[in-house]
Amino acid sequence: MTQSKIVCSFNRDFAMKSARINQYEGDILFNPSIRIFHYVCQFRSFTKAAKQLGITQSAVSQSIAQLEKQLGVELFDRTSRPMALTKEAQLLRNQILRDMSDMSLLMDEVRRKNYIQTSLSIGLIDSVGRTIGPALISALSANGRYVEIKSGTSDYLVQELTNGNLDCIIASSLSSQSLIPQQELILTEPHIIMMPKSFGHNRPHWTWDQLQFCGLPMIRYGLTTGSGEVIEKSLRQARLNLPKRFCVDDNQIMFGLVSCGLGWCLTQPVTALLAKEYLSQVILTAAPYPCENRQIFIAGKTGLPKLFIEEIKNICREQLMHSVIPQITSLMPWLKDKVIVY
């Protein structure tokens, strides 16, 4: 009996009942009644579970009663509507879900080691796709896996993930990210200013007041992008009401407009690496305080084995640490230690 199977806060009587569950665990995991128990837990109703399983309600009731007799505990409070799980049932169900998850991970590991092709659909925001996308695709497809890549704004990728059209995404900060079940932060980076070289060469640092009255409009990202949402939040914090002249959702268009002297923009170090053809015509400098950092996270759909998330996260971290960060510190040395890889 492992320590993880007994919760210390339970009273002594419940601990004894837990021990009975552990004693019979090896038998019941392969018992057909465990499938019925799982459906009753899901629907909290004998009738709904029976309908889903295609059997009679009587068969469900008898199976649960037999399981309770075998374990010597009650699994459901039948007086409440919908039925409530007892602590013993919650313990048993949690163990079953852990075993199901472990089996899923094991099956995927067997596929990988035997080069059995699996498929994976990934969504990438533009700055990630263009910097580490090729290395990510190469690593994921090395064992014959079919990899499908979609690119788009963070808002679009989150929607596609929520609708089940993507297995996982790498996207930037969004208020809706709290609705995503599996997510892990992989990068935090500050914002920077991109100014036309002909305009900003005499001022290495800018304040919000200076930017507001500098004579050039701010070129904004669209609100459907993660960057656009974070930047608008920063402008609200600085209590700025800048006039809206240009609004784009494409990085190359943004950089082209700045290089032509049509305005300035807030962007991020990783994104600025995409502006190589414009760097001779622009100046990059730190954004004024206060200004929100951009967070980049990896998120997976419900039911996606954590093995996939860990694999993608490790590939991204390797590329960020050994390829992207050195480029950023070479181009923008003042950002050393300010771009954080998790």
Side-chain angles (χ1 to χ4, degrees):
M1 179 170 55
T2 62
Q3 184 178 358
S4 63
K5 294 176 183 175
I6 295 183
V7 180
C8 296
S9 61
F10 289 175
N11 58 34
R12 181 179 300 176
D13 180 58
F14 178 58
M16 293 176 63
K17 294 174 181 178
S18 299
R20 291 197 195 112
I21 289 178
N22 290 327
Q23 177 183 354
Y24 289 101
E25 182 183 346
D27 295 330
I28 65 174
L29 284 177
F30 298 97
N31 192 309
S33 60
I34 211 65
R35 175 177 170 82
I36 296 176
F37 168 77
H38 179 69
Y39 273 88
V40 174
C41 288
Q42 182 177 351
F43 293 103
R44 307 297 173 92
S45 165
F46 287 172
T47 303
K48 292 180 180 179
K51 183 177 180 181
Q52 187 70 21
L53 290 163
I55 59 179
T56 65
Q57 180 180 341
S58 176
V60 171
S61 180
Q62 291 176 15
S63 177
I64 296 299
Q66 182 181 3
L67 185 56
E68 289 177 327
K69 182 178 179 180
Q70 182 183 10
L71 296 174
V73 296
E74 288 190 0
L75 297 174
F76 299 98
D77 179 2
R78 294 164 173 79
T79 62
S80 63
R81 291 292 181 272
M83 288 193 309
L85 277 66
T86 64
K87 292 180 178 179
E88 294 86 348
Q90 292 172 358
L91 179 70
L92 179 59
R93 189 190 186 203
N94 289 341
Q95 181 61 46
I96 292 168
L97 292 175
R98 282 194 294 270
D99 289 336
M100 290 169 63
S101 177
D102 291 344
M103 180 58 70
S104 177
L105 290 173
L106 177 62
M107 291 175 66
D108 189 66
E109 184 65 18
V110 170
R111 291 191 188 100
R112 290 181 59 210
K113 287 184 176 180
N114 288 276
Y115 302 98
I116 298 175
Q117 181 170 334
T118 57
S119 62
L120 191 63
S121 56
I122 306 175
L124 304 174
I125 54 173
D126 184 57
S127 56
V128 171
R130 292 177 180 268
T131 51
I132 67 174
L136 176 63
I137 296 170
S138 177
L140 289 174
S141 61
N143 291 339
R145 180 189 287 129
Y146 172 76
V147 182
E148 180 183 1
I149 299 294
K150 286 186 179 181
S151 61
T153 64
S154 291
D155 193 51
Y156 166 75
L157 296 179
V158 168
Q159 189 63 46
E160 287 291 282
L161 182 72
T162 305
N163 292 340
N165 298 325
L166 290 172
D167 293 315
C168 69
I169 62 173
I170 299 177
S172 56
S173 311
L174 282 178
S175 57
S176 58
Q177 75 182 75
S178 59
L179 304 176
I180 303 174
Q182 293 192 71
Q183 57 177 294
E184 292 191 43
L185 184 63
I186 59 176
L187 179 84
T188 296
E189 58 179 343
H191 278 83
I192 59 174
I193 293 174
M194 181 182 289
M195 272 279 184
K197 195 168 187 177
S198 58
F199 187 86
H201 66 281
N202 291 325
R203 191 184 296 275
H205 304 289
W206 294 83
T207 66
W208 285 119
D209 286 339
Q210 290 168 344
L211 288 169
Q212 187 171 11
F213 301 106
C214 70
L216 280 182
M218 177 184 180
I219 305 172
R220 300 171 184 253
Y221 284 100
L223 286 177
T224 58
T225 66
S227 295
E229 184 177 3
V230 174
I231 290 172
E232 290 301 318
K233 183 178 179 181
S234 296
L235 294 178
R236 289 194 299 270
Q237 288 179 340
R239 299 182 178 180
L240 293 179
N241 185 21
L242 300 178
K244 295 183 178 180
R245 291 276 304 278
F246 306 103
C247 183
V248 300
D249 62 1
D250 181 89
N251 290 312
Q252 298 303 316
I253 295 176
M254 173 81 75
F255 302 149
L257 292 174
V258 174
S259 68
C260 291
L262 294 178
W264 61 274
C265 74
L266 281 172
T267 187
Q268 310 83 26
V270 173
T271 308
L273 295 180
L274 309 181
K276 293 180 179 178
E277 62 184 290
Y278 302 107
L279 290 180
S280 63
Q281 305 164 58
V282 301
I283 290 178
L284 303 176
T285 186
Y289 177 85
C291 190
E292 290 280 317
N293 288 338
R294 180 172 80 153
Q295 295 180 325
I296 296 179
F297 63 93
I298 179 173
K301 69 179 182 181
T302 303
L304 181 70
K306 196 170 183 180
L307 180 69
F308 278 139
I309 299 290
E310 290 297 321
E311 180 182 8
I312 296 169
K313 182 179 70 174
N314 289 336
I315 296 170
C316 290
R317 185 179 187 279
E318 182 76 13
Q319 291 300 312
L320 288 168
M321 292 294 294
H322 295 96
S323 177
V324 175
I325 298 299
Q327 293 181 60
I328 290 174
T329 53
S330 174
L331 181 63
M332 297 161 274
W334 76 87
L335 289 176
K336 184 178 180 182
D337 301 327
K338 292 186 179 182
V339 180
I340 303 173
V341 179
Y342 293 84

